[in-house]
Amino acid sequence: MRNIKEQTESIQLSIYCNIICQTLQLHENLSICKMVTFSYLIKQNRFLGGTIYTAKNTQDIIFKGISLLAGDFGGFCNSVPYILKALHILINKGIVSSENDVLTLTTNDLKLDSVYEENNFMKKVIEESKTMTDRQFMKEVTYNV
């Protein structure tokens, strides 16, 4: 039984390491709290299939993106430790750096398989979220979860 738990944790960590690196390759830098939220949303998007919103949405795009967390408090809370452990691994290995709670990829030479691709809508949400303070962003996250 313990072996299955360890294998499950290893898979979760590798998934989130991949998502974090892919996100930082595409967006260059992102705060820790935003990375935690968007990593979870990118992973969930793969399993949910289609999306409610498309890249054609332009108004209140951040709020629409965060609203995808609605009703998933348990799943989000269960995933946060895995995301934080994945960040810890990446920072300790020197793949990601954290300066003033902002994450950046230390190398551009990573060759990653795109298992969990973010759609165009999520790309726009992440870029637009950079205009919002972390405090305001987390208020919206907690309001929606």
Side-chain angles (χ1 to χ4, degrees), residues 55-109:
K56 293 178 183 176
N57 293 97
T58 56
Q59 298 214 337
D60 299 326
I61 192 163
I62 298 171
F63 304 109
K64 288 176 182 176
I66 294 172
S67 74
L68 297 173
L69 288 171
D72 198 13
F73 180 73
F76 182 66
C77 289
N78 289 336
S79 294
V80 169
Y82 294 115
I83 298 168
L84 294 176
K85 285 180 183 178
L87 277 172
H88 180 73
I89 290 168
L90 292 170
I91 290 169
N92 280 347
K93 294 292 182 184
I95 298 169
V96 171
S97 67
S98 174
E99 187 89 23
N100 297 324
D101 296 331
V102 175
L103 301 169
T104 53
L105 205 57
T106 59
T107 180
N108 292 326
D109 297 336

Side-chain angles (χ1 to χ4, degrees), residues 17-18 20-25 90 93-96 104-114:
C17 284
N18 183 281
I20 291 165
C21 289
Q22 279 181 213
T23 304
L24 290 175
Q25 270 186 333
L90 292 170
K93 294 292 182 184
I95 298 169
V96 171
T104 53
L105 205 57
T106 59
T107 180
N108 292 326
D109 297 336
L110 284 178
K111 304 264 190 269
L112 299 169
D113 292 332
S114 296

Side-chain angles (χ1 to χ4, degrees), residues 12 16 36-48 52 65-81 83 140-145:
Q12 290 290 332
Y16 282 117
V36 169
T37 304
F38 291 130
S39 295
Y40 179 73
L41 286 174
I42 291 167
K43 182 177 178 231
Q44 286 308 103
N45 185 49
R46 166 98 191 259
F47 293 111
L48 296 177
I52 300 170
I66 294 172
S67 74
L68 297 173
L69 288 171
D72 198 13
F73 180 73
F76 182 66
C77 289
N78 289 336
S79 294
V80 169
I83 298 168
E140 289 300 321
V141 169
T142 53
Y143 175 76
N144 276 283
V145 208

